[in-house]
Amino acid sequence: MSGSTGQKLGGETAQAVVDTAAPSTEVASKSPMQLAAGRLRKDKLTLVSLVVVLLFVLAAITAPLAVHFGWIDPLKSALNLTDEFGRPKDKWGGMSMDHPLGIEPGTGRDTMARLWSGVAFSLFIALSATMIAMVLGVVLGIVSGAAGGWIDAIIGRVIDLTLAFPLTLMLLALASTGLIMVEKYLHTPKGNPTAAVYVIVVLGLFGWTGIARIVRGQVLSLREREFVHASTMMGASKFRLYFREILPNLWAPILVTFTLMMPAFVSAEAALAYLGVGVNAPTPTLGNILNESISYADVVPTFFFIPGFTIAAIVVSFNLLGDGIRDALDPKGHQ
Amino acid sequence: MWAYAARRIVIGVMLLLALSLVTFVLFFASPADQARHACGKQCTDEQIAVTEKALGYDKPVLVQWGTFVKGMVTGREFPADPELKKTHPEFITTCDRPCLGYSKTNGVTVNSLIGEAAPISISLAVVAVVIWLVFGVILGIIAAVTKGTIMDRGIVGLTLIIYAFPTFFIGVFFLKFVVVKWGLLSYPQYLSIAEGGVGGWLTNLFLPAFTLALVYLASYVRMTRAFVLESLGEDYIRTARSKGLNSRTVLFKHALRAALTPLVTMTGIDFAGLLGGAIITEQVFAYNGIGKLTVDSANAWDLPTIIGIVVLAGSFVILANIIVDICYALIDPRVRLG
Amino acid sequence: MGKKLKRALAASSALALSLGLVACGGDSGGGGSANNDPGVKGGTLNYLQSFLYESSDPQRIYYGVQLAQWRRTVYRGLVAFPMSEDPVEGTTPVADLATDTGTASEGGKVWKFTLKDGVKWEDGTDITCEDVQYGTSRVFANDVIIGGPNYTLSYIDVKDYPGPYKATPAQQAAFEKAVSCDGKTVTFHFNKPWADFNQAAAGMMMVDPYKKSFDQGDRSKWKVLSNGPYKVEGGNWDKNKGATLVRNENYDPATDNPDQLRKALPDKINWVINGSDTAGELFNDRLIQDAGEDQYAITSARVTPQQLPKVTQEPVKSRYLNVVSPFTDYLVFNHKKLTDPKIREALAVSVNTEGYIKANGGDLVMEHADSIVNPGTAGYKANDAFKGVTDGSGDPEAAKALLKEAGVKMPYAIKLSYPKTPTADKSMAILQESWNKAGFKVTLDGQGDTYYDVIAQPDKDSDLMWAGWGSDWPSMMTVIPPLFDSRPNISKTTCGNDYGCYESDELNAIIDEAANAANVEDQQAKMQEADAFLGSEYAYIPLDNQKFNWLRGSKVTGFTTTPASSSYPELGLIGVSQK
């Protein structure tokens, strides 16, 4: 649910870009990029969220290195740190110099190590799903807008059909079938790679509709522009033309949608983990970590709140960044 | 106009057919042997074959889909076994149209399963919609009129932060802390209006509906704020202001009215989506609505129920879109050209 | 077993449908005690249940705890197990609807029961021999009565019988010859000896009477026509909500054996069902608080490990009970893949059951197992191959030495499959971690609710599979043969309950000797030999015997567990205090 609505929020806010981002490309004296960058520099909130986003990205990139060099080990148990009921012996969820964020009840695994790698896994899943959705959406959007006619109509209906499927329900109900199909057709190794690919592919397959509509709208409005007319007269192939000439003009809505889709997919991964779909334990994803913590919510509260707030921090910072970028691209906009 | 409406409806029906076909094809690739699962532990291969036939899983997927579609139009009988019907007519369950199927796991029609679960999901959706609309619109207006102040930033920021927490985190937080640990509210358990009166119904619904509403609150605050700001900038509002109308009249009489149409549209579509069940909220609060039914039937691999819910949930969304489109067409005839 | 257990019902057990009949109640593991206040008649008991039944039709019921509790309340059998805490007495059937516990002849191929006078259905009509015959015949209708235990199918001496609904007169006549009626006496003719048939009849309901005029096929799935001390108010069981049990005025205690079989103390039992994953925890939270109506409540949901710190302290402790259950968990090797016994031995010597138990919640939730046979089973003996080997944190060096001997490349890749829950994820990760230190590279494969279907497939790629077992009736014969005898299990499409597809003529020969043994002692000795053989082959690794943690409301009397109740609360003894 928070998955689908997450996307919806991304889609809605991004749709506002349709009518606002396009005009900004018309400004002649300074490049729109420079203008936007100038505005961004003055927007402190967006700059802060940019820093936070970069920190999370940095954490994601460094996590495999940290594991590789043995700085952290998200899978190492420490059963001597828990009491006979599995609770951490130390106060505050087992926080200590060795375990600054405490330990996992039952196994004694280090929460910081698990969160650090969890951020990497979750962002990787979100990024991959976003890429699939973006590529699909941009290509189908351009084709739809450029070709018009029955191709446009069919793509429109496919979008309607995709939107009509209850996403969470499909992900849940299809999991066992889906895993087998992924394994069979994509030849992924069994186990977690397959599970990850399944989640990524399904999120991507259901997530492309918003950007496709935006791109289609952009194409329709750009189609009337002079440079397109000019190229057509020079005899360029129609589709090559659209991809080469129009794509560069679409970067603004793509960037904004991208920034807003990432957090939606991070939430979606967490929601799916709660329903038991997704990457298997012991691999830490933010969803897995949070899901494991809920039965300890009142017994070891820190273990419950820390992953929850981490997810929230990622979602908020990406959303603020996306909003900021959009505002910067469109100063006259709604905000 | 009628032609447009008819066209939208025809397309809607075709979408629905496509939706059910895709669902059937996807589930037919299932690795779980449903018949063996149903037959039990010591079943021989022959007994499994009997069970498979009784459940209809021996037929090709297109035939099963055709039977399903036919059942939607004409109704069906379970088991579809003329021999049994002749000897034991009292064994036959009839499933009136639109028949969504028969759940062997539960021993009842999918229609009656959904019929039992629907009031809970609808109640949840209605209360949640009211909560998010009331709070969303009020906060949105406040944010718009105080644009740029701390109040504005606070409202927009806070709702975004709440939105950022996973729904199950918020739900579990309410249950484990607000209810169990601090004892501020009693444990919510669904009571129908018949059982608990309107008061009992509402009290018990509040917590899950509030959890659900928080998911949507942020986007409604932003939307209201944006529309109000936009319409405040429109020429006619400026004119109204310049004519000396006080700002409250301008806000409520003109600006809000303009924001109303898109809000109602969005609400309609979101509400339709929720009728298909709020899976996570119902799961967290143990409400036996359609979302919970979904999870249970997915766990039990109860194919007919899963397919029935997919088709039903999909048709709500398709229907809501048709209604919205037709309403737009009524309001603004230019839409029909697009 | 083709069935799964609701996650809510058991954090790690996979099997609750079997009726384990073997544990003893009142183990002192975590303190607390059985509450043996004799109790008085009257009052209302609240029974809080956190999983959904699959049916209320006697021929389709298969959850062990449902079979046990409903024997005490609505469905009497020809025979039934008494409410004794003694493992031997508690697993020896006594007469219920029948006048005695059945007479066997022809070496166990023919069984005879005579119905008592005055036993009635809730509608006041007599229970007849024909009702027993009809109930037994329904199990054969695989196209209408789907699900439920059907051992009888392979025993009753009739061929090609499609059940009563579609049988030709000739087929029906053949069945009525195999299960014949003579006045009030029903005679079962089997095609092979069934020495412990009366135990099966007591523990399950496949030969329970069913009234023909009440039958509506699949539409009877949730109907209840009682013959016990209670009836279901309204006659229908609500799958998602439960029902209220009230006194059945057509039940005559004089035809029953109330002290041994069912005291039926409360006037009313409110059976409340909530099937959500969190319900069990919630029920126990309510029992911890012990407020209002919950003082009169019991639950079939176990206390969760997270709640144990609270319940093991006063004032809750006096209402708390910790017992060893009849459910044993084990790991079974895929014998099609791990053909080298050295590799299996290496996994066995380095298994970290100590960490596994701790990650599952500690000593109050599980104890070490040293055989696949649960210690409550008659004839149980620790398996020498595992005792002192698999009950610690494992010996990685010994494992590496064995792998070296086997001449395989290290790390040796292993895929470990298990039914996925957050707790199982953690405990399996502990096993994985210690095996990875012992020269293996373990991949975890947590699966959904169709787990047992997947691991029964002959061509699965798992190397090692977690499984749980509780026997269907009280004998070692219901542990080793169903799990390791290749003949009934393995066919082209499935390995049945023999998940590892283990095939050994030697073991099968021992099993045959046990089946033909002249007396119970010899049979038990043979079964111990079979388990020792499995141990020497490293056919499996025993993990744990599950322990159950129960809470009750403060006004509940007679609270204990028995072998017959599979170590769940024994409903037949429970009453509520009127004070």
Side-chain angles (χ1 to χ4, degrees), chain C residues 70-296:
Chain C
W70 284 36
R71 243 324 161 244
R72 303 287 181 232
T73 46
V74 289
Y75 291 142
R76 297 173 62 183
L78 292 170
V79 287
F81 291 117
M83 305 181 290
S84 165
E85 289 178 33
D86 180 80
V88 178
E89 200 188 329
T91 55
T92 310
V94 299
D96 192 352
L97 289 175
T99 51
D100 57 19
T101 55
T103 12
S105 55
E106 294 180 36
K109 282 174 82 171
V110 176
W111 278 87
K112 221 176 242 192
F113 297 86
T114 304
L115 288 169
K116 285 176 187 162
D117 291 323
V119 288
K120 284 182 167 47
W121 294 107
E122 70 171 77
D123 62 5
T125 54
D126 284 336
I127 297 171
T128 64
C129 172
E130 282 71 25
D131 292 338
V132 177
Q133 196 180 41
Y134 186 73
T136 309
S137 75
R138 295 171 85 232
V139 179
F140 284 78
N142 282 102
D143 52 343
V144 179
I145 306 296
I146 294 176
N150 44 20
Y151 289 93
T152 41
L153 296 190
S154 60
Y155 278 102
I156 290 175
D157 194 18
V158 61
K159 279 218 163 57
D160 298 323
Y161 176 61
Y165 312 127
K166 289 184 179 170
T168 61
Q171 285 172 326
Q172 189 63 29
F175 177 79
E176 284 173 14
K177 215 177 127 206
V179 180
S180 63
C181 272
D182 177 18
K184 285 186 164 281
T185 302
V186 59
T187 310
F188 296 89
H189 300 267
F190 299 131
N191 54 28
K192 55 190 169 195
W194 196 348
D196 45 8
F197 171 63
N198 60 352
Q199 289 184 314
M204 284 175 283
M205 297 180 172
M206 51 203 176
V207 295
D208 270 23
Y210 201 94
K211 190 169 168 170
K212 190 173 180 182
S213 59
F214 186 72
D215 194 2
Q216 293 192 313
D218 208 31
R219 290 175 69 197
S220 303
K221 190 167 185 170
W222 298 107
K223 296 209 162 98
V224 177
L225 185 70
S226 155
N227 55 31
Y230 299 97
K231 62 181 179 182
V232 172
E233 208 171 49
N236 271 312
W237 186 265
D238 186 324
K239 185 186 183 193
N240 292 307
K241 289 183 186 155
T244 303
L245 301 191
V246 293
R247 295 258 179 224
N248 170 11
E249 56 276 15
N250 280 306
Y251 162 80
D252 179 4
T255 66
D256 203 344
N257 185 350
D259 281 342
Q260 272 197 292
L261 291 181
R262 44 189 80 86
K263 291 196 169 177
L265 294 174
D267 283 338
K268 207 164 144 183
I269 302 176
N270 275 332
W271 211 301
V272 179
I273 289 184
N274 180 342
S276 78
D277 285 0
T278 46
E281 196 178 340
L282 162 69
F283 287 152
N284 281 300
D285 273 339
R286 279 166 54 181
L287 289 183
I288 290 172
Q289 285 169 359
D290 196 39
E293 286 296 300
D294 292 335
Q295 295 183 339
Y296 301 91

Side-chain angles (χ1 to χ4, degrees), chain C residues 193 477 511-519 523:
Chain C
M477 289 300 285
I511 289 173
D512 287 343
E513 284 173 41
N516 295 325
N519 57 51
Q523 194 176 55

